[in-house]
């Protein structure tokens, strides 16, 4: 109580009367909520690759809706951006179905095979074996992406898969000019690709990485996609493709079975919804940690008016909220079909009230003082795209093969690189994974269990504007999406939201990763004096956002300016 009083009095002292970062550029929300049921009448798509965005529009022009367009975008990304996502990986989707005014969450996350053995991820001396966790078939979970696309077509789309997968099949067969990110990823992973002849055959044509701007083809992936288009689930999870996957995985020391493939199921889950200063945020539930963490952070921050704070104190309170949410992430979260999680507590405003009281107004809280429970490169992996169609259907999809080019293992004849998502489990309790995240029993590997994700595909509904938002970035997905949401709430347009400078704290290590330019010199000095260790970090994720302004009924789409090749487009 005393602490609360002191905190309130001091907070008033920090209020300097600055308003939201974009308020001068963009009109303030009206007090009258516009009806969400209004149709935009045109569509917006933002993705990490122009060919994928155009594939989405191609399918819309054939009479498809946002869900058909999502199938076209995701499958084209599997071909043109395999370093980030693809048929050998999985995705999570937060969606709004306009006709029924319903929000749904699709979990097409990878699952551990039945024969998973934690010892496979340990060296003889008991230390974590980073190679089996990240490279080769033992690092791969059973893919969810193909089943997720079939599910979208069957339950939400208007077109057959033969139509929605057609752009990807054409691009894989006829070829495309790889961008600098794909060429860079293949160069970076060349030695790993050379370990498996089928991987080298696809990604090192003539024994070398493809050349930026020269046509690159993947006819095997075109065939795999055709099987999926023709036979649906059984085109990947049984039959010819499944046989090729099992034979190749076994020959290279993996443990998948045909039953692991045929028993894979997409799960529909209830999205997490959180209210923050008049905005409703619809986001990812477990087995993503993203939505729980974003909700917890926003619940803590809802006790403040960030728009009235100077940059130092705004950053301070946001970092302290991030720190507390990541502590809980490490301790409690896992696959909801396997672990009981105290979600009622974690999502409760009362819990957030308690956590807020522990934030000192003028000092960083060392993570070591909070309780038990590490940051790495957010890199060129995972991808996010956002779609709003003419009817107001919305799709927010984050899709991944985990680390750059996943396991780098391609099953002979499939053209598909398998994920290395097993590293997202807490393979060794309290030892950091590739993103420096720690984990506990809740996220230990078990047969059929889905590994915890940070993917946070989100939809934000405000009084007048709606945003479809998400980002790649490993553990920084959560904080990048959070900062994008805050920039949107501050009045940012799509370009401003994706360009907004970012910072990240994940409890351990106890450092604030800062994008150069996020803080001016005076802010950096003030935060350092308050006890923060600031560390410059590059690169940051590839955010793709579509915003619907329901006052003017205009769409606005933007792709992250940090990297070339993305495209946000409205038509
Ligand atoms: N593989 C990254 C994530 O799911 O968080």
């Amino acid at each position: 109580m005393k602490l609360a009083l002191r905190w309130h009095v001091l907070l008033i002292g920090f209020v300097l009367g600055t308003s939201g970062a974009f308020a001068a550029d963009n009109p303030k929300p009206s007090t009258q909520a516009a009806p969400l049921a209004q149709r935009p009448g045109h569509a917006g798509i933002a993705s990490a690759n122009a060919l994928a965005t155009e594939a989405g529009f191609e399918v819309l022009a054939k009479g498809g809706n946002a869900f058909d367009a999502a199938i076209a975008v995701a499958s084209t990304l599997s071909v043109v951006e395999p370093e980030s996502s693809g048929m050998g990986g999985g995705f999570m989707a937060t969606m709004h179905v306009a006709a029924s005014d319903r929000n749904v969450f699709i979990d097409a996350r990878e699952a551990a095979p039945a024969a998973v053995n934690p010892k496979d991820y340990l060296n003889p001396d008991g230390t974590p074996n980073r190679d089996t966790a990240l490279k080769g078939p033992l690092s791969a979970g059973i893919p969810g992406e193909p089943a997720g696309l079939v599910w979208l077509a069957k339950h939400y789309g208007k077109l057959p898969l033969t139509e929605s997968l057609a752009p990807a099949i054409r691009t894989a067969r006829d070829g495309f000019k790889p961008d600098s990110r794909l060429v860079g990823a293949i160069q970076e992973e060349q030695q790993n690709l050379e370990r498996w002849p089928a991987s080298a055959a696809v990604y090192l044509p003539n024994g070398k990485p493809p050349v930026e701007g020269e046509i690159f083809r993947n006819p095997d992936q075109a065939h795999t996609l055709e099987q999926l288009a023709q036979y649906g689930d059984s085109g990947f999870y049984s039959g010819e493709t499944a046989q090729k996957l099992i034979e190749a995985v076994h020959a290279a020391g993996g443990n998948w079975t045909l039953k692991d493939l045929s028993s894979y199921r997409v799960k529909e889950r209830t999205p997490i919804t959180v209210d923050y200063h008049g905005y409703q945020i619809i986001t990812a539930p477990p087995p993503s940690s993203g939505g729980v963490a974003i909700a917890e952070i926003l619940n803590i921050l809802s006790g403040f008016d960030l728009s009235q704070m100077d940059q130092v104190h705004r950053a301070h309170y946001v970092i302290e909220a991030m720190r507390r949410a990541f502590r809980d992430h490490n301790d409690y979260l896992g696959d909801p079909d396997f672990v009981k999680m105290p979600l009622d507590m974690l999502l409760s405003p009362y819990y957030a009230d308690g956590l807020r009281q522990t934030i000192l107004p003028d000092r960083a809280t060392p993570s070591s003082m909070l309780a038990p429970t590490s940051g790495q490169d957010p890199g060129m992996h995972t991808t996010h795209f956002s779609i709003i169609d003419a009817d107001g259907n919305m799709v927010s999809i984050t899709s991944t093969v985990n680390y750059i080019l996943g396991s780098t293992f391609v099953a002979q004849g499939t053209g598909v690189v398998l994920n290395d998502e097993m590293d997202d489990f807490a393979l060794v309790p309290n030892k950091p994974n590739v993103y420096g995240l720690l984990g506990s029993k809740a996220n230990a590997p078990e047969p059929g269990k889905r590994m915890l994700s940070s993917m946070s595909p989100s939809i934000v509904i405000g009084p007048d504007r709606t945003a479809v938002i998400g980002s790649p970035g490993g553990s920084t997905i959560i904080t990048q999406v959070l900062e994008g949401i805050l920039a949107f709430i501050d009045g940012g347009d799509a370009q401003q939201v994706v360009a907004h400078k970012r910072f990240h704290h994940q409890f351990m290590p106890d450092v604030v990763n800062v994008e150069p330019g996020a803080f001016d010199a005076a802010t950096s000095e003030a935060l350092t004096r308050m006890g923060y260790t600031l560390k410059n970090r590059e690169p940051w994720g590839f955010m793709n956002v579509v915003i619907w302004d329901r006052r003017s009924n205009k769409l606005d789409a933007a792709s992250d300016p940090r990297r070339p090749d993305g495209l946000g487009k409205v038509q």
Side-chain angles (χ1 to χ4, degrees):
M1 187 63 192
K2 230 168 141 183
L3 187 64
L5 192 65
R6 179 174 154 237
W7 164 75
H8 277 298
V9 169
L10 285 165
L11 180 60
I12 292 163
F14 294 138
V15 168
L16 294 184
T18 52
S19 58
F22 309 111
D25 307 327
N26 299 308
K28 278 253 171 241
S30 72
T31 46
Q32 194 70 42
L36 187 62
Q38 219 179 323
R39 295 173 75 246
H42 56 311
I45 303 179
S47 87
N49 189 288
L51 290 170
T53 296
E54 296 295 2
F57 279 111
E58 182 180 325
V59 161
L60 289 176
K62 285 181 184 165
N65 59 16
F67 311 107
D68 300 301
I71 296 167
V73 174
S75 53
T76 303
L77 290 170
S78 178
V79 177
V80 302
E81 201 202 17
E83 72 274 23
S84 299
S85 74
M87 293 300 135
F91 71 81
M92 291 182 166
T94 302
M95 316 198 305
H96 177 76
V97 186
S100 53
D101 195 18
R102 207 160 53 94
N103 300 320
V104 292
F105 181 80
I106 309 290
D107 168 1
R109 179 72 164 162
E110 300 90 328
V116 62
N117 182 354
K119 290 195 180 121
D120 286 335
Y121 306 96
L122 293 179
N123 293 312
D125 65 357
T127 56
N129 182 332
R130 306 304 302 147
D131 192 57
T132 44
L134 287 167
K135 300 292 164 213
L138 280 173
S139 70
I142 303 301
E145 179 122 352
L149 300 187
V150 173
W151 185 273
L152 285 181
K154 193 165 157 191
H155 296 281
Y156 299 99
K158 296 189 346 191
L159 299 178
L161 282 167
T162 44
E163 299 256 28
S164 47
L165 290 174
I169 294 169
R170 188 185 63 231
T171 306
R173 173 152 299 125
D174 297 349
F176 63 97
K177 294 181 177 163
D179 61 27
S180 56
R181 286 188 304 124
L182 175 53
V183 172
I186 293 172
Q187 287 168 342
E188 195 173 322
E189 292 297 322
Q190 180 162 355
Q191 283 185 335
N192 284 311
L193 293 164
E194 284 167 348
R195 293 164 67 178
W196 296 286
S199 304
V202 173
Y203 289 110
L204 300 169
N206 307 316
K208 291 199 296 276
V211 176
E212 192 183 335
E214 282 183 14
I215 295 292
F216 173 76
R217 295 182 179 84
N218 188 344
D220 284 348
Q221 180 152 187
H223 182 70
T224 297
L225 288 166
E226 277 172 340
Q227 294 284 304
L228 190 67
Q230 202 171 343
Y231 303 113
D233 281 328
S234 49
F236 189 91
Y237 295 90
S238 55
E240 185 191 320
T241 304
Q243 283 294 346
K244 287 179 189 163
L245 288 167
I246 297 303
E247 276 166 29
V249 161
H250 273 254
N255 55 13
W256 293 10
T257 62
L258 278 172
K259 185 151 181 265
D260 287 325
L261 287 170
S262 64
S263 56
Y264 182 85
R265 295 286 178 270
V266 170
K267 311 246 170 147
E268 284 216 5
R269 304 187 189 275
T270 305
I272 284 179
T273 303
V274 57
D275 293 322
Y276 176 79
H277 289 313
Y279 287 74
Q280 186 184 55
I281 293 92
I282 303 148
T283 185
S288 174
S289 58
V292 174
I294 288 174
E296 201 176 318
I297 295 170
L298 289 174
N299 281 340
I300 295 171
L301 294 178
S302 67
F304 305 112
D305 184 352
L306 295 182
S307 70
Q308 296 298 309
M309 286 184 194
D310 64 285
Q311 200 187 24
V312 173
H313 291 92
R314 182 185 165 110
H316 168 60
Y317 286 109
V318 172
I319 296 165
E320 290 304 324
M322 289 174 176
R323 185 198 307 277
R324 284 154 179 79
F326 269 92
R327 189 264 317 255
D328 289 345
H329 162 296
N330 296 348
D331 279 350
Y332 294 121
L333 302 180
D335 181 341
D337 298 337
F338 285 74
V339 286
K340 243 175 112 61
M341 293 170 281
L343 291 186
D344 285 350
M345 174 189 94
L346 295 174
L347 299 172
S348 153
Y350 300 112
Y351 180 63
D353 288 347
L355 290 176
R356 202 180 306 116
Q357 307 301 325
T358 67
I359 302 178
L360 301 168
D362 48 359
R363 283 213 62 77
T365 312
S367 292
S368 56
M369 277 181 64
L370 279 178
T373 117
S374 230
Q376 259 66 6
D377 154 43
M380 294 183 282
H381 41 79
T382 307
T383 195
H384 177 87
F385 61 90
S386 297
I387 303 178
I388 301 180
D389 72 12
D391 289 324
N393 293 307
M394 300 176 210
V395 182
S396 185
I397 287 191
T398 312
S399 179
T400 188
V401 287
N402 198 26
Y403 213 60
I404 306 163
L405 275 168
S407 63
T408 65
F409 179 80
V410 173
Q412 172 83 41
T414 63
V416 168
V417 69
L418 298 185
N419 68 84
D420 58 350
E421 222 74 65
M422 295 300 286
D423 188 59
D424 274 355
F425 278 120
L427 293 171
V428 184
N430 288 319
K431 292 280 183 221
N433 76 355
V434 73
Y435 306 114
L437 287 170
L438 304 174
S440 62
K441 206 163 165 247
N443 189 32
E446 290 178 58
K449 189 175 177 183
R450 297 176 187 210
M451 56 297 285
L452 197 61
S453 173
S454 299
M455 294 191 287
S456 311
S458 300
I459 297 173
V460 186
I461 303 172
D464 302 302
R465 300 192 307 151
T466 298
V468 180
I469 185 168
S471 178
S475 58
T476 70
I477 291 175
I478 296 168
T479 50
Q480 295 193 67
V481 174
L482 170 85
E483 290 165 89
I485 291 170
L486 293 176
F488 170 69
I489 290 172
D490 270 353
D493 62 24
Q495 194 59 42
Q496 290 167 325
V497 169
V498 297
H500 194 57
K501 298 284 188 192
R502 303 166 195 163
F503 55 90
H504 169 80
H505 192 289
Q506 61 180 49
F507 183 66
M508 289 289 186
D510 194 350
V511 294
V512 186
N513 293 119
V514 182
E515 181 172 19
F519 300 145
D520 59 26
T523 301
S524 299
E525 276 165 32
L527 289 169
T528 305
R529 277 198 304 276
M530 289 166 84
Y532 290 105
T533 303
L534 306 183
K535 200 169 149 196
N536 276 357
R537 172 178 182 155
E538 294 274 18
W540 289 81
F542 202 142
M543 186 173 282
N544 285 290
V545 170
V546 180
I547 291 175
W548 176 15
D549 187 328
R550 305 195 310 275
R551 296 162 297 192
S552 59
N553 205 18
K554 288 215 165 71
L555 294 177
D556 179 18
S559 187
D560 204 307
R562 288 165 185 80
R563 307 198 197 162
D565 313 308
L567 176 65
K569 182 173 160 180
V570 167
Q571 86 179 22

